Amino acid sequence: MRPYTVCKPTRKHTAQRYAQNTDRTRLNEAVTEGISPESKEAGRIVMLHKEWLGMTWKKYSKEAHRALGSLYTSDERFKHYYDQEVPGCAEFLEQAILCNIDGQ
């Protein structure tokens, strides 16, 4: 029997996890602080989200990003994921994407 080994995360995997956690932290803070989805900070959150998507998407498009934002509020699984720590994050992210994506 072969000994059990633990796979170490790759640099890309670690970068993806860091980017996702940074995105979520700033998103949680924005909702907690009552930041507007139209604000510059919301635009920065959308940019972080876009960068995170870029780590897994082969081709980025604004249309797909908008559709994903809509999915965050219409699909309960996504809504639960984003709202589990701070309620309202899914809706904030959807609105922030709609308000800021064209400036990206």
Side-chain angles (χ1 to χ4, degrees):
M1 185 174 197
R2 295 177 67 189
Y4 176 75
T5 58
V6 176
C7 295
K8 293 182 181 179
T10 64
R11 286 183 200 220
K12 182 178 179 182
H13 177 77
T14 302
Q16 287 173 336
R17 181 171 285 162
Y18 175 78
Q20 182 181 20
N21 289 339
T22 302
D23 178 23
R24 289 288 305 281
T25 299
R26 290 182 78 173
L27 176 61
N28 289 347
E29 290 171 355
V31 172
T32 301
E33 295 171 11
I35 303 289
S36 169
E38 299 173 354
S39 69
K40 287 183 181 181
E41 177 60 17
R44 287 189 280 274
I45 291 168
V46 171
M47 179 55 83
L48 283 171
H49 190 253
K50 177 183 175 185
E51 289 173 7
W52 178 69
L53 293 174
M55 293 179 189
T56 56
W57 287 12
K58 291 184 187 242
K59 183 178 178 186
Y60 172 83
S61 77
K62 291 179 182 180
E63 295 77 22
H65 200 170
R66 279 189 203 95
L68 186 60
S70 177
L71 190 62
Y72 290 161
T73 58
S74 64
D75 185 313
E76 286 301 316
R77 296 168 295 181
F78 284 107
K79 185 168 176 45
H80 173 75
Y81 173 78
Y82 278 101
D83 288 352
Q84 65 188 345
E85 294 175 21
V86 178
C89 285
E91 187 170 342
F92 177 89
L93 185 54
E94 176 192 27
Q95 292 303 310
I97 291 168
L98 293 174
C99 291
N100 292 284
I101 197 67
D102 288 325
Q104 303 295 318

